[in-house]
Protein backbone atom coordinates (compact mmCIF):
# COMPACT_ATOMS: atom_id res chain seq x y z
CA UNK A 1 0.00 0.00 0.00
CA UNK A 2 3.01 2.33 -0.12
CA UNK A 3 2.65 5.06 -2.72
CA UNK A 4 5.18 7.60 -3.94
CA UNK A 5 4.41 10.73 -5.94
CA UNK A 6 6.91 13.09 -7.57
CA UNK A 7 6.17 16.78 -7.90
CA UNK A 8 8.06 19.77 -9.24
CA UNK A 9 8.64 21.83 -12.36
CA UNK A 10 8.58 20.19 -15.76
CA UNK A 11 10.83 22.82 -17.32
CA UNK A 12 13.98 24.42 -15.91
CA UNK A 13 16.55 26.70 -17.47
CA UNK A 14 20.23 25.81 -17.86
CA UNK A 15 22.44 26.76 -14.90
CA UNK A 16 19.50 26.83 -12.50
CA UNK A 17 18.60 24.38 -9.74
CA UNK A 18 16.06 21.61 -10.21
CA UNK A 19 14.03 20.80 -7.11
CA UNK A 20 11.74 17.77 -6.98
CA UNK A 21 9.75 16.48 -4.03
CA UNK A 22 8.57 12.93 -3.41
CA UNK A 23 5.55 12.54 -1.16
CA UNK A 24 5.21 9.14 0.50
CA UNK A 25 1.97 7.66 1.78
CA UNK A 26 1.23 4.31 3.37
CA UNK A 27 4.59 4.14 5.13
CA UNK A 28 6.96 6.35 7.08
CA UNK A 29 10.27 7.49 5.62
CA UNK A 30 11.80 6.97 9.07
CA UNK A 31 10.97 3.26 9.22
CA UNK A 32 14.02 1.04 9.35
CA UNK A 33 15.54 -0.19 7.13
CA UNK A 34 14.36 1.60 3.99
CA UNK A 35 16.26 3.96 1.69
CA UNK A 36 14.44 6.60 -0.29
CA UNK A 37 15.93 6.94 -3.71
CA UNK A 38 16.04 9.18 -6.78
CA UNK A 39 16.52 7.54 -10.18
CA UNK A 40 16.36 9.14 -13.61
CA UNK A 41 16.13 8.02 -17.23
CA UNK A 42 17.34 10.23 -20.08
CA UNK A 43 15.40 9.82 -23.35
CA UNK A 44 16.41 6.63 -25.13
CA UNK A 45 18.77 5.57 -22.32
CA UNK A 46 18.75 3.37 -19.26
CA UNK A 47 18.02 4.09 -15.63
CA UNK A 48 20.58 6.07 -13.64
CA UNK A 49 20.74 5.88 -9.86
CA UNK A 50 21.25 9.37 -8.47
CA UNK A 51 21.26 9.00 -4.73
CA UNK A 52 19.24 8.19 -1.65
CA UNK A 53 18.44 9.23 1.87
CA UNK A 54 18.09 6.55 4.50
CA UNK A 55 15.64 5.94 7.26
CA UNK A 56 18.17 7.47 9.65
CA UNK A 57 18.78 10.58 7.53
CA UNK A 58 22.07 9.42 6.05
CA UNK A 59 22.71 10.22 2.38
CA UNK A 60 24.54 8.59 -0.50
CA UNK A 61 25.11 9.97 -4.00
CA UNK A 62 26.27 8.83 -7.40
CA UNK A 63 29.94 9.83 -7.81
CA UNK A 64 29.17 11.50 -11.15
CA UNK A 65 26.51 13.72 -9.59
CA UNK A 66 27.71 14.14 -6.02
CA UNK A 67 29.15 17.61 -6.47
CA UNK A 68 25.82 19.14 -7.48
CA UNK A 69 23.22 16.88 -5.83
CA UNK A 70 21.53 17.18 -2.47
CA UNK A 71 18.81 15.00 -0.99
CA UNK A 72 16.96 16.07 2.12
CA UNK A 73 13.81 15.12 3.97
CA UNK A 74 10.95 16.57 5.95
CA UNK A 75 9.77 13.89 8.32
CA UNK A 76 6.76 15.92 9.47
CA UNK A 77 5.44 15.86 5.89
CA UNK A 78 6.77 12.39 5.04
CA UNK A 79 8.58 13.87 2.04
CA UNK A 80 12.06 13.81 0.60
CA UNK A 81 13.49 16.27 -1.88
CA UNK A 82 16.07 16.24 -4.67
CA UNK A 83 18.07 19.32 -5.56
CA UNK A 84 20.22 19.19 -8.68
CA UNK A 85 22.28 22.32 -9.20
CA UNK A 86 23.74 23.83 -12.38
CA UNK A 87 21.54 21.81 -14.70
CA UNK A 88 22.28 21.36 -18.41
CA UNK A 89 20.23 19.89 -21.28
CA UNK A 90 21.92 16.58 -20.46
CA UNK A 91 19.85 16.46 -17.27
CA UNK A 92 16.64 16.15 -19.30
CA UNK A 93 14.72 12.97 -18.60
CA UNK A 94 12.11 11.23 -16.51
CA UNK A 95 12.80 11.41 -12.78
CA UNK A 96 11.53 8.74 -10.40
CA UNK A 97 11.48 8.34 -6.68
CA UNK A 98 11.56 4.82 -5.31
CA UNK A 99 11.95 2.85 -2.10
CA UNK A 100 14.99 0.62 -1.67
CA UNK A 101 14.82 -2.32 0.67
CA UNK A 102 16.43 -5.68 1.24
CA UNK A 103 14.81 -9.09 1.13
CA UNK A 104 16.14 -11.90 3.27
CA UNK A 105 17.56 -14.84 1.37
CA UNK A 106 19.64 -17.80 2.46
CA UNK A 107 22.74 -16.39 0.73
CA UNK A 108 22.26 -12.94 2.23
CA UNK A 109 20.22 -9.81 1.59
CA UNK A 110 19.00 -8.94 -1.89
CA UNK A 111 18.54 -5.25 -2.68
CA UNK A 112 15.29 -4.38 -4.45
CA UNK A 113 13.36 -1.26 -5.36
CA UNK A 114 9.90 -2.38 -4.41
CA UNK A 115 7.83 0.78 -4.78
CA UNK A 116 8.14 3.49 -7.43
CA UNK A 117 6.49 6.76 -8.26
CA UNK A 118 5.01 7.18 -11.71
CA UNK A 119 7.86 9.44 -12.80
CA UNK A 120 7.88 13.06 -13.83
CA UNK A 121 9.28 14.53 -17.04
CA UNK A 122 11.92 17.22 -16.61
CA UNK A 123 13.18 19.23 -19.56
CA UNK A 124 16.18 21.54 -19.30
CA UNK A 125 15.93 24.19 -21.99
CA UNK A 126 16.19 27.93 -22.44
Amino acid sequence: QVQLQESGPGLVKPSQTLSLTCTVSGGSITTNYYYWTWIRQPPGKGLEWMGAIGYDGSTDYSPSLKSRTSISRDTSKNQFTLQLRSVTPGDTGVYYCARRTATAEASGPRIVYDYWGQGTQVTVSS
Side-chain angles (χ1 to χ4, degrees), residues 17-50:
T17 296
L18 169 67
S19 183
L20 297 175
T21 295
C22 184
T23 300
V24 179
S25 61
S28 174
I29 62 172
T30 64
T31 297
N32 53 357
Y33 300 94
Y34 301 123
Y35 292 81
W36 305 92
T37 308
W38 287 100
I39 297 164
R40 69 179 182 181
Q41 186 171 35
K45 298 182 179 180
L47 297 170
E48 179 185 18
W49 181 85
M50 301 183 70

Side-chain angles (χ1 to χ4, degrees), residues 29-31 34-35 53-59 73:
I29 62 172
T30 64
T31 297
Y34 301 123
Y35 292 81
I53 187 164
Y55 61 96
D56 59 354
S58 62
T59 54
R73 66 180 183 171

Side-chain angles (χ1 to χ4, degrees), residues 37-111:
T37 308
W38 287 100
I39 297 164
R40 69 179 182 181
Q41 186 171 35
K45 298 182 179 180
L47 297 170
E48 179 185 18
W49 181 85
M50 301 183 70
I53 187 164
Y55 61 96
D56 59 354
S58 62
T59 54
D60 192 19
Y61 302 107
S62 169
S64 64
L65 297 171
K66 184 176 182 178
S67 66
R68 57 191 184 101
T69 303
S70 296
I71 299 174
S72 58
R73 66 180 183 171
D74 185 338
T75 58
S76 68
K77 298 180 179 179
N78 214 38
Q79 296 176 330
F80 63 104
T81 297
L82 169 73
Q83 288 194 318
L84 182 63
R85 299 177 291 274
S86 302
V87 299
T88 74
D91 294 312
T92 293
V94 179
Y95 285 70
Y96 300 92
C97 55
R99 187 177 81 170
R100 183 175 68 183
T101 188
T103 60
E105 298 182 349
S107 60
R110 180 181 181 182
I111 303 301

